[in-house]
Amino acid sequence: MALRWYTTVIDSHDIAAQARWWAETLDFRIVYEDAHEVAVIPKHMSEDVIEDGATWMRQAQGLVFVPVPEGKTIKNRLHIDLAPHTSQDRDAEIAALLERGATLADVGQDDDVTWTVLADPEGNEFCVLSSRDR
């Protein structure tokens, strides 16, 4: 029996700002928000009850942002990879992320890698991969 990967939880200082930044980045929407967490899911994903287990297992993952008092001190052990479609301008997508508050990050990658490492506004690393069509 398998379990569904339901969500990824991201520790944050400003959960509302982080959730909104990632929701815009991924074209997600906020589905829950209070002082203790903010949850975002893909816009196409339904919030309706799904009775069928197989259908429920095929649902996409969400992100949940929770408050923590401490700051980030080391490289993430887990990170998100984003990929543009081959019809998208990868450099323009990276520029848009930088304009919205992402920063270039060095986690020890070589100069000739096919991905770009960035950090979100609170310093969490993520990668923008080469363009793909699958």
Side-chain angles (χ1 to χ4, degrees):
M1 176 176 165
L3 295 173
R4 176 179 160 207
W5 176 3
Y6 190 74
T7 191
T8 299
V9 179
I10 301 173
D11 293 347
S12 307
H13 282 282
D14 187 341
I15 62 174
Q18 279 290 91
R20 282 166 176 70
W21 192 89
W22 278 100
E24 182 178 345
T25 296
L26 299 171
D27 198 26
F28 280 21
R29 61 188 166 96
I30 294 173
V31 292
Y32 182 81
E33 182 171 7
D34 69 14
H36 306 288
E37 69 180 274
V38 181
V40 300
I41 63 172
K43 285 185 176 178
H44 68 275
M45 197 170 147
S46 173
E47 293 181 69
D48 296 339
V49 173
I50 301 171
E51 298 290 342
D52 175 62
T55 302
W56 187 79
M57 287 292 287
R58 289 191 300 272
Q59 296 302 299
Q61 297 76 37
L63 298 175
V64 173
F65 298 84
V66 297
V68 295
E70 70 275 1
K72 182 177 172 305
T73 57
I74 60 171
K75 175 182 163 288
N76 294 0
R77 297 284 306 258
L78 175 71
H79 69 267
I80 296 171
D81 282 346
L82 305 178
H85 186 263
T86 53
S87 66
Q88 292 175 277
D89 181 341
R90 179 181 179 276
D91 292 338
E93 295 294 337
I94 291 171
L97 290 165
L98 293 169
E99 288 174 19
R100 292 187 27 255
T103 55
L104 292 170
D106 182 352
V107 294
Q109 68 272 24
D110 292 331
D111 292 336
D112 61 348
V113 297
T114 60
W115 61 87
T116 301
V117 182
L118 300 173
D120 72 14
E122 288 199 7
N124 299 300
E125 296 95 4
F126 65 97
C127 294
V128 178
L129 305 176
S130 58
S131 298
R132 292 147 195 254
D133 59 9
R134 54 186 164 104

